[in-house]
Amino acid sequence: MKTDETDLRPADTQSRRAFLATAAAGVGAIAAGSLGACRPGGEEAALASGTRAPGAGGGIVVARGPIAVEAGVGALRSGGNAIDAAIATAFAQFITTPFSAGVGGFGCMVVYDASARRAVSIDFHGRAGGKATPDIYRSALEGRIYGHADRWKVRGDINQIGYRSVVTPGTIAGLWEAWSRFGTRPWAELVEPAIRLAYDGFDIPRSLAGGFTTRTESSSGVVPFFTKVQTTEPSARIFLNNGVPWRAGERLVQRDYARTLELIAEGGADVVYRGEIAERIAADFERNGGLITLADLEAYAPDVYDPVHGTYRGHDVFSNALPGSGAQVIEILNLLEGYDVPDIEHGQADHVELLGRAQILSFIDRRRYHGDPKFIDDPTDILVSKDRAAELRGFIDRRELPPDIVEEPPEGPDTTHLSTADREGNCVALTHTLGSASGVVTEGLGFTWNNCMFQFNPVAGRPNSIEPGKARITGISPAIVLRDGQPILVTGAAGGTRILGAVQHTISNTVDFGMSALEAVSVPRWHWEDHLLEMEPQLYHHLKDELEGRGLDVANDAFVAQLHAVGIDPDTGRWSGGADPRGWGGGSATV
């Protein structure tokens, strides 16, 4: 069995459990003075300490990977709530999908707090380091990657692999913030399943093994895995088996990662941003010409705010703010609201064209307006305006497009999403990612870093240009939908810019067609953001001739995002899980 190094402390199960018991007892005290310290008093202060008496348990977890789902289910069985389950699931995903999410990543979540009857967004986007400048890649710029307005070819691919592709991570800060505000189980208890997975290893599934063998650059410019994983020696030592790709059925053990998670279980987020791990990160990036510093880590904090809100046929839709894509999801729904979508046969040419035209109009606004609102004038009011939608519908009615279309196929699917709900009515939609991963592993820490710099525009003066402390735009758009004040859908997806279109599909499928969560995520999807209307094979082969006869350029696409949704009956509270059968496969389990 291959391991990533020889120090096995504390490798045996009894010692690990003793460590975790100690950490669980002490971590509540650590919360004071840390990232979770700024929180309200009263009832929410009790929530923040993780000491609120748990209920009888019960809930649902839907996520990529059955091993991670079981970690979340374990939190529910212990009496935890939907937030506890989401955190435990996310940590387990760090280990089972090490090039999609982890300590070095970023993301955001929308939480519905049933006791307060309100939704809260927690954004933990990666932010460009203090050494990043608007023209950092300019001397190495070779041009735009064909067909993608947000991707640029830089000599040596230094904007997507290596230390200069990495931004300040946010995932641990975000999960800690969610736990501090809403969690009920001890923090260390939620991290423990991931520690156990990292120490003991897991059998590599065929889907992950297929990624290990990728040697060809994708059509959207993503450097192949086999090149990326050899960017740093610590990465190659973990993610190659004596220099060759891991095969399905072999066991991946990640002991360095386990020890890193033990420190996080004991010390909370502070250890990553201003403690032992932070010091090791800063020294590593200084030695290797990276862009992030100890000051960047110390200054990092997630953003907590009221989610972006829209309505669709009498339903309330809550999602994330810019630089995420929640506003774009709402813009698409606003466009659709002007048409009798339920009267159109699902998946037929009229339906595909209508939703596609709504999508592409929203992408024109995306290119025009989207950026980090801390650095640009926030255009959200424009994007979610019903008046804006009414104006744009004229293009749909005339079957026209504004003249500023550019080709921009979606980014790759190296992201993961999970949805949870519990018997008290709490819900979580959480999307987290490494981008497409940088190939950087800091010696001894065991986790892969993000490559968030790849999605910045290297040309200065644009809404998505590079600036220190800035977050780049992302398709991430976790969403919660309410009917008459009760949650009915918790959803989100992996798949780059396809995410937002897939989320819109799921909401429309639920509201317009009355589909269950599983039906809503399983039916064929399509996506239109540049000159090509991309359809999954079931639709492409059925509708190609008819749509081309209407003057549309269509393409066959076997993968239009991967969704994980929870449906909730507002009258009975009954849950239904929608784990997308596409791509890597997902799982759904209830307690």
Side-chain angles (χ1 to χ4, degrees):
M1 180 186 299
K2 185 179 188 293
T3 65
D4 46 337
E5 49 136 309
T6 56
D7 177 10
L8 305 183
R9 176 198 62 86
D12 62 282
T13 301
Q14 185 174 359
S15 297
R16 295 204 306 270
R17 292 194 182 280
F19 163 82
L20 289 163
T22 302
V27 74
I30 297 170
S34 71
L35 287 168
C38 298
R39 52 182 178 259
E43 180 182 359
E44 288 198 11
L47 281 172
S49 69
T51 59
R52 188 173 71 174
I60 185 170
V61 179
V62 184
R64 175 182 176 184
I67 295 175
V69 168
E70 283 303 309
V73 166
L76 293 172
R77 288 196 181 111
S78 298
N81 61 15
I83 294 84
D84 298 317
I87 293 169
T89 302
F91 270 106
Q93 288 176 327
F94 292 2
I95 305 305
T96 58
T97 57
F99 268 72
S100 294
V103 173
F106 58 97
C108 54
M109 71 178 81
V110 179
V111 178
Y112 181 75
D113 178 1
S115 63
R117 295 180 65 84
R118 66 186 290 259
V120 177
S121 280
I122 302 175
D123 281 1
F124 43 99
H125 294 295
R127 297 195 170 275
K131 295 183 179 181
T133 60
D135 59 354
I136 191 169
Y137 304 126
R138 195 57 188 263
S139 63
L141 181 60
E142 296 181 349
R144 189 190 302 279
I145 292 175
Y146 174 74
H148 202 302
D150 284 345
R151 287 190 173 174
W152 299 75
K153 185 68 175 176
V154 171
R155 190 167 52 252
D157 295 307
I158 59 174
N159 61 337
Q160 69 165 306
I161 58 174
Y163 283 86
R164 298 180 77 188
S165 71
V166 180
V167 303
T168 308
T171 297
I172 298 302
L175 297 181
W176 178 262
E177 185 71 30
W179 175 81
S180 298
R181 289 173 175 268
F182 303 113
T184 64
R185 301 303 301 170
W187 169 260
E189 180 183 297
L190 304 178
V191 185
E192 192 271 343
I195 296 173
R196 187 169 64 248
L197 271 171
Y199 269 126
D200 297 343
F202 66 97
D203 293 339
I204 297 171
R206 190 170 301 278
S207 56
L208 183 57
F212 287 154
T213 60
T214 302
R215 297 172 183 258
T216 304
E217 183 174 289
S218 76
S219 61
S220 55
V222 175
V223 171
F225 172 87
F226 196 70
T227 300
K228 185 176 295 184
V229 76
Q230 297 179 79
T231 301
T232 58
E233 194 278 332
S235 173
R237 193 168 63 240
I238 299 168
F239 297 113
L240 294 177
N241 186 4
N242 295 318
V244 299
W246 288 98
R247 295 178 298 180
E250 293 181 326
R251 198 163 185 85
L252 180 62
V253 174
Q254 302 170 75
R255 288 199 173 101
D256 279 347
Y257 212 155
R259 283 184 285 276
T260 294
L261 292 179
E262 285 177 335
L263 292 173
I264 293 169
E266 183 178 19
D270 263 4
V271 73
V272 176
Y273 294 90
R274 51 186 65 89
E276 177 182 341
I277 294 175
E279 293 170 357
R280 294 170 70 177
I281 291 169
D284 181 40
F285 276 70
E286 177 67 26
R287 282 192 304 270
N288 290 284
L291 305 179
I292 62 177
T293 67
L294 185 61
D296 295 324
L297 292 165
E298 291 175 341
Y300 188 89
D303 295 314
V304 183
Y305 59 90
D306 292 335
V308 175
H309 173 247
T311 60
Y312 184 61
R313 305 193 198 281
H315 296 71
D316 292 293
V317 180
F318 295 97
S319 192
N320 60 335
L322 292 172
S325 292
Q328 188 171 353
V329 171
I330 292 169
E331 183 175 21
I332 297 170
L333 294 172
N334 285 342
L335 286 163
L336 295 179
E337 198 170 37
Y339 303 92
D340 291 326
V341 177
D343 292 337
I344 304 173
E345 187 174 356
H346 189 282
Q348 295 305 305
D350 288 345
H351 188 213
V352 170
E353 183 178 0
L354 173 60
L355 266 67
R357 288 189 178 279
Q359 288 178 342
I360 194 169
L361 287 170
S362 77
F363 272 98
I364 293 170
D365 274 357
R366 178 186 185 87
R367 290 185 281 271
R368 181 182 294 129
Y369 293 118
H370 283 219
D372 185 342
K374 294 183 178 181
F375 290 80
I376 63 171
D377 291 335
D378 190 347
T380 300
D381 288 346
I382 297 172
L383 299 173
V384 302
S385 166
K386 301 285 189 182
D387 291 339
R388 174 65 174 166
E391 174 188 347
L392 291 176
R393 280 192 209 108
F395 290 102
I396 296 177
D397 296 338
R398 296 187 299 271
R399 285 187 160 88
E400 294 177 355
L401 294 176
D404 55 348
I405 259 295
V406 296
E407 299 173 2
E408 185 187 359
E411 62 190 272
D414 299 301
T415 299
T416 189
H417 177 85
L418 62 96
S419 297
T420 65
D422 65 34
R423 65 184 301 164
E424 304 301 323
N426 302 299
C427 307
V428 178
L430 166 61
T431 311
H432 57 130
T433 185
L434 294 174
S436 56
S438 63
V440 173
V441 173
T442 296
E443 183 68 56
L445 295 184
F447 61 84
T448 300
W449 284 95
N450 69 78
N451 66 344
C452 199
M453 292 297 292
F454 185 33
Q455 293 301 124
F456 277 113
N457 189 330
V459 178
R462 310 295 172 82
N464 194 39
S465 297
I466 301 165
E467 294 184 59
K470 189 176 185 178
R472 53 90 157 173
I473 61 175
T474 173
I476 289 174
S477 45
I480 297 177
V481 180
L482 276 62
R483 178 187 299 154
D484 299 327
Q486 297 296 322
I488 66 161
L489 181 67
V490 185
T491 187
T497 46
R498 289 177 172 93
I499 290 172
L500 63 97
V503 169
Q504 162 261 307
H505 271 280
T506 310
I507 295 172
S508 177
N509 289 342
T510 301
V511 173
D512 291 326
F513 297 98
M515 293 185 186
S516 69
L518 183 56
E519 291 170 331
V521 305
S522 299
V523 294
R525 291 195 287 273
W526 56 98
H527 183 85
W528 194 1
E529 69 172 271
D530 65 3
H531 72 293
L532 289 175
L533 170 56
E534 298 175 307
M535 297 181 287
E536 291 184 327
Q538 306 97 308
L539 294 173
Y540 175 80
H541 294 291
H542 178 55
L543 298 176
K544 175 180 182 293
D545 291 342
E546 184 173 358
L547 291 172
E548 285 183 340
R550 299 182 180 195
L552 303 181
D553 293 326
V554 299
N556 190 6
D557 191 328
F559 185 84
V560 181
Q562 187 184 46
L563 284 155
H564 294 299
V566 172
I568 307 166
D569 186 319
D571 297 323
T572 66
R574 183 180 178 87
W575 311 296
S576 64
D580 200 326
R582 295 168 179 81
W584 323 280
S588 173
T590 59
V591 177

